Amino acid sequence: MNDKGINGMHEAIELEHKFMKPEAQLTLSEGARIEGYASLFGQRDRGGDTVLPGAYAGALARLEAAGGRVRMLWQHDATQPIGVWDEVVEDARGLRVKGRLLQDVARAREAAVLIAAGALDGLSIGYRTLRAESDPRGGRRLVELDLWEVSLVTFPMLTVARVAAKAAAAPDPGLAQIAGLFRQAHADLARRRGAIAQRKP
């Protein structure tokens, strides 16, 4: 599903957001290092969009030439960078990311605890569509995207995978309690969606 809106990066730039749960699962290790796929090719999302192979190549080449980088944000909030993507590459499967949560940033420490607890389990890309084709099934086939950021998010919309925690630093008790509340809210939401789906003819 796409969620359009100004991302706070620049008033004149309107970004789209595409939520993702990568099949390979984003992994958290050493309490701070994260790695996985932020986007998979050929996966039709709930908005009907499908990202085609090669869609990110141009954006990544332009960033490299300009000495720029894809940002790691918290919930698409440009005022809350929480880490650094050391590697963002397009391969045969999709967009692979590898980076570090910055442990001197309070929100990054919270993110690590929430990921480890299973309360935060998704990625979402912030991008502009440069070129797209109509899909005969409805929606779009995204041919070329201008990639700005990859965020850690609470509610990614695709159901293909989840963030998996390999290891994490010992959680703060208060943050662990918050993580438990998020986990319970996530489970309640899933049950409600299931009940709604069963009522549909």
Side-chain angles (χ1 to χ4, degrees), residues 1 19-21 46 123 155-159 193:
M1 177 178 290
F19 297 94
M20 183 68 193
K21 288 186 179 180
R46 292 183 180 179
L123 289 174
F155 295 114
M157 303 304 287
L158 289 182
T159 56
R193 284 178 174 167

Side-chain angles (χ1 to χ4, degrees), residues 79-93:
T79 67
Q80 295 196 66
I82 58 171
V84 176
W85 293 119
D86 296 311
E87 186 177 334
V88 181
V89 296
E90 186 183 85
D91 63 19
R93 296 186 64 199

Side-chain angles (χ1 to χ4, degrees), residues 129-194:
T129 300
L130 300 182
R131 190 156 56 97
E133 303 170 344
S134 295
D135 191 323
R137 303 170 295 174
R140 301 177 299 172
R141 292 160 51 89
L142 303 180
V143 178
E144 185 178 3
L145 302 178
D146 190 16
L147 182 67
W148 282 70
E149 51 94 2
V150 178
S151 286
L152 294 177
V153 294
T154 310
F155 295 114
M157 303 304 287
L158 289 182
T159 56
V160 231
R162 293 184 179 272
V163 173
K166 282 185 177 176
D172 176 271
L175 292 178
Q177 184 177 10
I178 293 171
L181 293 173
F182 269 106
R183 195 164 51 248
Q184 182 61 48
H186 191 275
D188 290 344
L189 181 61
R191 283 195 294 272
R192 290 177 186 174
R193 284 178 174 167

Side-chain angles (χ1 to χ4, degrees), residues 36-105:
Y37 281 88
S39 175
L40 292 177
F41 299 134
Q43 294 282 349
R44 183 178 168 86
D45 69 18
R46 292 183 180 179
D49 288 346
T50 303
V51 181
L52 300 185
Y56 303 103
L60 296 178
R62 287 189 296 274
L63 279 171
E64 183 176 3
R69 65 169 61 213
V70 176
R71 304 298 176 175
M72 182 193 297
L73 301 181
W74 170 259
Q75 310 283 1
H76 294 299
D77 187 343
T79 67
Q80 295 196 66
I82 58 171
V84 176
W85 293 119
D86 296 311
E87 186 177 334
V88 181
V89 296
E90 186 183 85
D91 63 19
R93 296 186 64 199
L95 186 71
R96 184 167 183 78
V97 295
K98 183 177 183 179
R100 298 162 283 134
L101 293 166
L102 298 179
Q103 295 184 317
D104 287 339
V105 177

